């Protein structure tokens, strides 16, 4: 039966005066009549017979238009009616799914007005409102609502403050869930706020999708969210969870808006922070609340209220402590009296268990004793002896999200003693779930660190935790760390650090997993700095800085290596190899952060110190001198770079190191700076030698050989042989399109083909080639990536040459504005764009 025959026209929507819910309820009632009608009781029976029970109250609310039903409720009802009529197969549900999506859009439009272009784009890609970024925490068992501490409906900023474990995060999450259920929210952005980097990453992820603007500068992308929130008519809620340092939000605060609510959960009580919004101070449970909570979890049939009250007193009425104890009692079939006796026998004193560090002082709770009992119980479960050491490791990592992939690394598999590596990984997996059973951690199945894939037949099932996040409350971690003796702490820190390094070795590392590894590395460095520096700095300290820089936060990476250098400098002599190596990392990120001249000077200074210590042919000495030359050339002196690199290259050849990677790198840099200096013949000779060497080793069709040939033919093109340059690039592209069609190298080859096509005298064909490339780069690497900006520049430049100066001028004007915002007014790309714009305008005037 068609929609018209059925009386269902989802695109028509409600009639004047009819609400979206009434319209949808009418569709449901009409469908029920079409399928034989019946009372609420009849419909409930039909769903029961189909094993898809729908409650009578739920049906009543849906059919009366009182509430918006869940899509699952609608689908279950349609299936049940289909089966009641004895119809074969399953009913077609796609029309109902479209109707339901239309209902949600109508409800959103009713609050916000017409949809924006961004909304239309999101809907075309299968994303509908309400939208959510960042996983909400799982609801607490038997969550106890506390009306006096409820978050107001807003709009506004609200600071949920109080000691750790009082339920700040759960209160914020419950508020968000209630608003979503009531249909009062279009957008939720949940961000972990323990570090500046976490805040930037979370806000940038939301901003990238909502604004369609991404790029290598994560800070800039994150800041765009404030402007989007200030201008949108959608209702929104941004949650900044567990803010550790108020200054980390500088420049990133969500705006004051009549459509928005900002929730900040924090243990900080700074006056400057409290001035930012309305303070909601969450306190401990009172005696009545503690008793209500324990009664809901444990019941009173075999446990008198007096025993529960005494247990609550012993645990200090901290919600998290009560939850841990209740789970322990249930899993071990233990009475509160027995628990209290064991807790006392452990010698736990509240004054001795007050958390320190980032937690408020004077917090009298026996947390370490409580969690020590739970860890001990988990460690006794099969496979025994693993949960304890694993908990030690997890206590040093980021409790808001330890990526499940980390649990499959060899470093953590070594916590198990099974000789089989696969079996050891299984035992670690089981130990994680033993800890989960004792409520020491949770496994978040909504995390998406990496895409889930089915394991190949016979493959080790290490993917059981892949894509998931292990979450542990900060107090649980703190209590665990407090009980570590020095050897345990050293062992745990070593295992955690090595696991992180191994995690970063994964091929084609997803950005989400890289971000999670970075957050965990910084957490580890905060908890175990001495252990990571003794006896020598662990490689994770350098890998985490590189991850930070590679993510687009080069300035943050520079700050990290400056701090690391200060720490290393205080522990090791200036001439120690570790100190010298750290200075090299610092210089590299100085260059990447936009100061190639300063980096060249830093490398020259490092070379001077190394020259006193190393023999003249030492590889590190030569490499430092090479780096100084490269960044001197990048800073605007290619001729000086050529002189230095040529000397180094000849020296390395004379030392018999022609096949060394450093020598090959030296040769490539020399060829590039020869080309930049105008000596294409010299550059051709070097790249031709590289091509012939690679061909002799690998054969003519190897991708590396084709790349080397392409580099050589580039210089032939500069010398006038454009056909050779194009032929080499096209052969390389054929292989790249098969191996990695969306790889950055493939895109670069396409760009070079377009450029040489235009230079050969066919600018119109260059435009035709660059158009699709721009689309692909926008989709894969985003609009703010330098390669994307470069493609826009090339496209406009060849439009001018192809006789489209007006369109080119428009595009260059827009590009110039974007470059000024993204790159800064002093960036060398801006004069090039201005010159291209002037050329387009000049040609336009003479048409």
């Amino acid at each position: 039966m068609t929609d018209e025959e059925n009386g269902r026209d989802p695109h028509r929507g409600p009639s004047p005066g009819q609400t979206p819910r009434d319209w949808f309820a009418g569709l449901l009632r009409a469908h029920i009549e079409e399928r034989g009608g019946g009372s609420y009781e009849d419909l409930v029976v039909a769903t029961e017979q189909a094993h898809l029970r729908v409650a009578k109250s739920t049906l009543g609310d849906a059919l009366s238009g009182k509430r918006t039903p869940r899509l699952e409720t609608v689908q279950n009802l349609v299936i049940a009616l289909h089966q009641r009529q004895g119809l074969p197969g399953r009913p077609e549900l796609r029309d109902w799914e479209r109707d339901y999506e239309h209902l949600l859009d109508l409800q959103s439009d009713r609050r916000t007005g017409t949809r924006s272009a961004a909304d239309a784009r999101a809907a075309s890609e299968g994303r509908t409102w309400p939208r959510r970024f960042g996983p909400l925490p799982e609801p607490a068992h038997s969550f106890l609502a506390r009306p006096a501490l409820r978050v107001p409906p807003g709009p506004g900023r609200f600071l949920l403050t109080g000691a750790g474990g009082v339920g700040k995060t759960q209160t914020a999450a419950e508020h968000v869930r209630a608003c979503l259920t009531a249909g009062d929210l279009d957008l939720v952005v949940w961000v972990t706020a323990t570090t500046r980097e976490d805040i930037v990453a979370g806000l940038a992820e939301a901003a990238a999708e909502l604004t369609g603007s991404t790029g290598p500068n994560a800070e800039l992308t994150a800041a765009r969210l404030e402007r989007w929130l200030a201008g949108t008519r959608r209702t929104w809620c941004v949650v900044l969870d567990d803010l550790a340092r108020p200054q980390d939000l500088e420049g990133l605060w969500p705006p004051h808006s009549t459509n928005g609510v900002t929730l900040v959960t924090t243990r900080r009580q700074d006056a400057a922070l409290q001035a930012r919004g309305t303070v909601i101070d969450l306190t401990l449970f009172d005696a009545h609340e503690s008793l209500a909570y324990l009664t809901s979890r444990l019941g009173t049939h075999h446990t008198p209220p007096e025993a529960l009250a005494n247990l609550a007193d012993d645990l200090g009425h901290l919600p998290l402590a009560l939850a841990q104890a209740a789970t322990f009692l249930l899993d071990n079939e233990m009475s509160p009296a027995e628990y209290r006796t064991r807790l006392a026998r452990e010698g736990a004193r509240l004054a001795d268990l007050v958390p320190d560090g980032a937690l408020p002082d004077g917090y009298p709770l026996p947390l370490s004793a409580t969690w020590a009992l739970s860890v001990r119980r988990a460690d006794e479960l099969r496979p025994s002896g693993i949960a304890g050491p694993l908990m030690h490791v997890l206590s040093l990592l980021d409790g808001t999200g330890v990526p499940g992939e980390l649990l499959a690394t060899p470093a953590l598999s070594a916590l198990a003693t099974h000789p089989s590596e696969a079996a050891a990984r299984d035992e670690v997996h089981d130990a994680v779930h033993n800890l989960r059973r004792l409520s020491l951690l949770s496994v978040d199945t909504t995390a998406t660190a990496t895409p889930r894939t089915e394991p190949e037949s016979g493959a080790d099932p290490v993917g059981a935790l892949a894509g998931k996040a292990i979450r542990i409350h900060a107090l649980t971690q703190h209590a665990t760390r407090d009980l570590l003796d020095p050897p345990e702490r050293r062992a745990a820190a070593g295992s955690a650090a090595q696991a992180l390094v191994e995690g970063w070795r994964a091929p084609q590392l997803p950005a989400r997993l890289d971000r999670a590894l970075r957050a965990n590395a910084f957490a580890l460095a905060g908890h175990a700095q001495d252990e990571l520096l003794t006896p020598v700095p662990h490689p994770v300290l350098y890998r985490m800085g590189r991850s930070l820089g590679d993510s687009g936060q080069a300035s943050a990476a520079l700050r990290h290596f400056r701090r690391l250098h200060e720490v290393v400098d205080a522990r090791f002599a200036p001439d120690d190899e570790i100190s010298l190596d750290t200075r090299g990392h610092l210089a590299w990120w100085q260059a990447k952060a936009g100061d190639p001249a300063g980096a060249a000077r830093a490398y020259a200074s490092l070379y001077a110190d190394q020259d006193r210590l190393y023999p003249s042919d030492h590889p590190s000495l030569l490499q430092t001198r090479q780096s100084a030359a490269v960044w001197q050339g990048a800073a605007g002196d290619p001729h000086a770079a050529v002189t230095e690199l040529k000397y180094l290259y000849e020296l390395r050849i004379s030392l018999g190191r022609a096949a060394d990677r450093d020598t090959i790198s030296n040769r490539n840099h020399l060829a590039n700076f020869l080309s930049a200096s105008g000596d294409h013949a010299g550059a051709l000779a070097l790249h031709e030698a590289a091509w012939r060497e690679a061909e002799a080793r690998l054969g003519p069709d190897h991708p590396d050989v084709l790349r080397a040939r392409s580099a050589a033919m580039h210089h032939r093109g500069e010398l006038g042989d454009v056909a050779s340059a194009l032929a080499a690039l096209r052969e390389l592209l054929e292989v790249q399109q098969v191996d990695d069609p969306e790889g950055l190298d493939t895109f670069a080859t396409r760009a070079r083909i377009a450029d040489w096509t235009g230079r050969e005298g066919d600018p119109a064909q260059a435009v035709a080639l660059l158009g699709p490339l721009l689309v692909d780069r926008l989709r894969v690497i985003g609009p703010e990536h330098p390669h994307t900006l470069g493609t826009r520049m090339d496209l406009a430049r060849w439009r001018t040459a192809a006789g489209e100066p007006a369109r080119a001028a428009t595009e260059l004007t827009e590009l110039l504005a974007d470059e000024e915002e993204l790159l800064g007014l002093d960036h060398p790309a801006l004069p090039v764009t201005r010159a291209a714009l002037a050329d387009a305008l000049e040609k336009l005037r003479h048409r």
Side-chain angles (χ1 to χ4, degrees), residues 614-624 652 657 660 662:
Y614 299 154
S616 60
D617 61 348
H618 193 282
S620 295
L621 184 65
L622 299 182
Q623 192 62 26
T624 299
R652 281 167 162 154
R657 300 175 185 174
D660 288 2
D662 289 348

Side-chain angles (χ1 to χ4, degrees), residues 24 28 58 61-62 67-74 100 103:
F24 192 77
L28 287 173
T58 302
D61 289 345
R67 293 183 183 277
T68 301
R70 296 168 55 201
L71 177 59
E72 182 183 6
T73 298
V74 176
Y100 190 82
L103 167 66

